[in-house]
Amino acid sequence: MAVPSEVVAPAEKARHRASLVAAVVLVVGAIAVLLARGGQDDRGLVERVLAAVKPQSAAFSLQLAAQAATADPRPLSEQVAPPVAGGGKAGWQVKIDGHVPIEGGVLHTPSTFHPGKDGYDLILHFHGDVAIVRESVEYAGINAALAIINVGIRSGPYRKTYQAPGAFEALLGQIHAALERRGLPKAKLRRLALTSWSAGYGAIESILENRQSPPPDADPLDAIVALDGVHAGFVDGDPERINERSVRAFVRAARAAAEGQIMLSLTHSAIDPGVYASTRRSQFYLLEQVGARPNDNAMLPIPPRVELDAARFAVAPEKKKAMVPTSDTRVGMLRVQGFEGITREHHAAHLTQMAVVGLADLAKRWSKPPRADLSDAVVAE
């Protein structure tokens, strides 16, 4: 596995590259939603999606290019955050602009990242526009480093990437080395959150199945957030029979969360792909495994609308949808939130609004010290 190199290009080039990544992920995200609904590859469908998205992607690139014209021209090595206060580590100086390439993605140090003397927290996100995810973490005010991985448009490539023994640990090693070069020599990983949108849940599934589990009292994995993801398969193609083996990793995680051992926050839309269980059906199945039923409530509040610069061209203004909740179920530290919608715009909203749906639970949990009593971390406001 290649050792990542520090990016020291001017801010203009970094932002331009970010715009290209954003455009590519925008296209593959749209294709993923449509293909999932159809159940099979359709070349004509793909071409129509590309034609529809191309004008928005071009406008997105032009907008970011214009922003880059007024960007800080100094090299990244001169762009640093103020020293972080705290004990003998008061001299931390962390580079916050640009990114570091890692296997399958990039590492960012958001403006909200201020590691303490005892180490750092890390969000490892799978699938989604890089700029949208970073802005969402900053909007939510989460103090953590952020790694974003994109390896495909369906869950299969994500599963495959982390099936090999040691693959997940190698990724963590790359991230740690990159953070050392960003200004955190000999820092320690305190807490880890695995987050995903759509197909990215496949990576979390493989990691839960194949990671080298540390001792319970030294396990950094603290939280999981899956946004409109987690699909179960059917037994022999029978839609009346959920294949438990296809979601066993999430069944174990749901039981652990229900018992207060870890935070698990899930969201689902009403999209039904037909050939496998929808996110709604799959997540209801997880609730069944912990002895709970969906808490349907017509009076649930609509999450506040988040307008991110990075998401301005992700969805046409006339097609932006409010995330109207249909259920909100909590068992211990397990939370399942359901929302209306069967269109790709509804699906995209789970990503563009992740700052207030999913990440909000993580922000609340991590606002407390790592070893504090977190049993009430996921509680209604």
Side-chain angles (χ1 to χ4, degrees):
M1 216 173 266
V3 176
S5 59
E6 179 65 83
V7 176
V8 293
E12 293 91 336
K13 292 183 180 179
R15 290 178 185 273
H16 182 63
R17 283 194 300 270
S19 72
L20 295 178
V21 172
V24 171
V25 175
L26 177 65
V27 172
V28 300
I31 294 172
V33 176
L34 294 180
L35 293 184
R37 293 178 64 191
Q40 60 183 358
D41 292 329
D42 184 328
R43 184 176 300 275
L45 179 60
V46 171
E47 291 175 350
R48 291 195 298 274
V49 173
L50 288 171
V53 173
K54 186 177 179 180
Q56 295 182 9
S57 301
F60 191 19
S61 297
L62 289 173
Q63 182 211 23
L64 290 186
Q67 292 174 350
T70 58
D72 189 336
R74 296 174 299 168
L76 299 184
S77 58
E78 297 176 11
Q79 298 177 22
V80 297
V84 177
K89 301 297 185 182
W92 290 134
Q93 290 203 3
V94 182
K95 299 174 185 176
I96 61 172
D97 201 5
H99 66 270
V100 183
I102 55 177
E103 191 75 19
V106 293
L107 171 72
H108 281 277
T109 44
S111 61
T112 51
F113 180 47
H114 303 292
K117 63 180 180 179
D118 56 339
Y120 64 92
D121 295 333
L122 171 66
I123 297 174
L124 183 50
H125 180 86
F126 300 95
H127 200 63
D129 181 283
V130 171
I132 288 175
V133 176
R134 173 170 178 159
E135 283 191 31
S136 297
V137 168
E138 292 176 335
Y139 187 99
I142 301 177
N143 176 7
L146 172 65
I148 305 166
I149 306 296
N150 284 291
V151 297
I153 63 173
R154 292 194 177 190
S155 60
Y158 287 97
R159 287 193 188 91
K160 185 176 180 180
T161 299
Y162 300 102
Q163 284 176 345
F168 172 61
E169 289 72 24
L171 176 62
L172 291 182
Q174 283 193 16
I175 293 170
H176 186 78
L179 284 171
E180 286 193 330
R181 295 201 308 282
R182 299 232 97 190
L184 288 174
K186 299 181 180 179
K188 178 183 178 182
L189 173 60
R190 299 183 307 181
R191 293 178 292 195
L192 170 66
L194 301 177
T195 70
S196 68
W197 170 65
S198 191
Y201 82 90
I204 296 179
E205 179 183 291
S206 268
I207 289 169
L208 294 177
E209 289 277 18
N210 301 296
R211 74 188 183 114
Q212 300 170 5
S213 299
D217 58 349
D219 188 354
L221 181 56
D222 184 68
I224 299 171
V225 177
L227 305 163
D228 208 14
V230 183
H231 288 280
F234 296 134
V235 176
D236 298 328
D238 182 354
E240 300 300 320
R241 302 167 62 198
I242 292 290
N243 183 348
E244 182 177 358
R245 286 181 57 85
S246 66
V247 284
R248 63 185 178 186
F250 285 102
V251 169
R252 290 196 293 264
R255 288 170 177 164
E259 295 172 359
Q261 300 172 18
I262 192 172
M263 188 195 94
L264 175 59
S265 183
L266 307 172
T267 72
H268 68 79
S269 65
I271 297 171
D272 187 357
V275 294
Y276 46 83
S278 66
T279 53
R280 179 178 184 273
R281 174 93 179 273
S282 302
Q283 292 177 22
F284 282 8
Y285 177 79
L286 297 180
L287 288 175
E288 291 174 8
Q289 303 313 298
V290 300
R293 295 176 60 84
N295 181 20
D296 298 326
N297 188 335
M299 301 301 292
L300 291 170
I302 296 176
R305 181 80 192 174
V306 178
E307 295 292 346
L308 303 175
D309 286 342
R312 188 173 302 174
F313 296 100
V315 178
E318 69 275 9
K319 292 186 177 181
K320 289 184 178 179
K321 308 292 185 181
M323 295 194 72
V324 180
T326 56
S327 65
D328 191 350
T329 311
R330 306 167 193 257
V331 183
M333 287 191 287
L334 167 65
R335 184 180 187 183
V336 175
Q337 297 180 82
F339 295 91
E340 292 181 358
I342 60 172
T343 70
R344 68 189 186 197
E345 289 80 19
H346 287 108
H347 181 57
H350 289 252
L351 176 68
T352 62
Q353 302 301 300
M354 66 187 294
V356 292
V357 177
L359 287 187
D361 290 338
L362 182 63
K364 187 170 184 177
R365 179 172 176 81
W366 280 8
S367 66
K368 301 180 180 181
R371 289 178 174 78
D373 179 5
L374 301 173
S375 59
D376 63 343
V378 183
V379 180
E381 296 289 352

